[in-house]
Amino acid sequence: MENAFISPYRDDIVISWPELHRDTRLLCRALMDRGPFKGIIAIARGGLIPAALVARELEIRLLDTICASSYEAASDDGQGAQIMRTEVKILKGVEHDGEGYLLIDDLVDTGATARMIRKLLPKAFFATLYAKPMGREVVDLCVKEFRQDKWVYFPWDIDYTFVPPLKKNCQVDAG
Ligand SMILES: O=P(O)(O)OC[C@H]1O[C@H](OP(=O)(O)OP(=O)(O)O)[C@H](O)[C@@H]1O
């Protein structure tokens, strides 16, 4: 077909700051019935900003972190190669089993990070803003669920830049 329009869009989700804030407040409303919590443990780095907002809403002043780093490796499940997070390293943990604590992360995706941290803190209440199917069962609560093939862009991953009007661009191109 001549001049077929090929959409440049991939199936991504871009989360804005106001949306992230609103979703975190929704999470807090659900968490109100689950507490009280002794403190919050943020999974760094993605959990740090949601954890700070949750701490404000629930008036929790004891905050700690678990610092995790994951590595990607290609795996082939017969339907094509996929990038999988296979190895999760804990750079800093905590010295208890999580009883009475609230664990916060921004996203559970493949669930590799959450599974590793679940083992370390089996008694913590685990909440994330967003979840994909592969990891959903590992966490106790989330606000929104996305399909596994959606890529979630958080506000700290993106930037707003000026784009000139389309017609102006075309005039420049035409000389
Ligand atoms: O379910 P998974 O497939 O393990 O993915 C989820 C993890 O990935 C992100 O962290 P990331 O590894 O990107 O590190 P960062 O938060 O330090 O950016 C996110 O904050 C979760 O911790």
Side-chain angles (χ1 to χ4, degrees):
M1 195 197 303
E2 245 179 77
N3 295 328
F5 175 73
I6 300 167
S7 171
Y9 294 109
R10 288 169 45 208
D11 201 12
D12 295 339
I13 294 271
V14 178
I15 307 287
S16 66
W17 283 112
E19 193 176 357
L20 183 103
H21 201 176
R22 193 188 59 208
D23 288 343
T24 307
R25 283 202 165 120
L26 271 176
L27 185 72
C28 291
R29 285 190 184 281
L31 287 170
M32 291 283 282
D33 300 332
R34 318 290 174 127
F37 298 104
K38 288 181 197 166
I40 292 176
I41 300 163
I43 300 175
R45 300 164 303 185
L48 287 169
I49 288 171
L53 298 173
V54 172
R56 189 266 179 185
E57 296 301 328
L58 302 191
E59 297 200 295
I60 295 171
R61 289 173 193 280
L62 181 61
L63 287 106
D64 201 351
T65 56
I66 285 203
C67 302
S69 169
S70 62
Y71 298 87
E72 292 177 344
S75 76
D76 200 324
D77 59 2
Q79 297 179 320
Q82 290 191 335
I83 297 296
M84 295 285 295
R85 290 165 187 273
T86 51
E87 195 189 344
V88 180
K89 282 203 173 137
I90 302 298
L91 308 176
K92 177 207 161 288
V94 293
E95 299 201 340
H96 53 77
D97 63 7
E99 186 160 19
Y101 281 83
L102 174 60
L103 252 180
I104 296 280
D105 207 350
D106 54 350
L107 171 73
V108 59
D109 189 331
T110 65
T113 308
R115 276 187 197 94
M116 168 68 86
I117 291 171
R118 245 306 179 225
K119 277 189 214 153
L120 301 174
L121 294 161
K123 295 192 174 169
F125 189 87
F126 201 157
T128 58
L129 286 176
Y130 310 119
K132 295 189 196 176
M134 280 177 73
R136 177 62 188 90
E137 62 171 11
V138 192
V139 300
D140 299 304
L141 187 65
C142 72
V143 174
K144 283 182 187 158
E145 297 183 38
F146 296 124
R147 285 204 326 257
Q148 197 64 43
D149 61 0
K150 292 255 183 205
W151 184 259
V152 183
Y153 284 106
F154 284 90
W156 46 86
D157 294 325
I158 57 177
D159 196 7
Y160 297 99
T161 55
F162 174 77
V163 178
L166 198 56
K167 198 159 179 183
K168 251 184 201 144
N169 267 347
C170 291
Q171 282 164 353
V172 171
D173 289 348

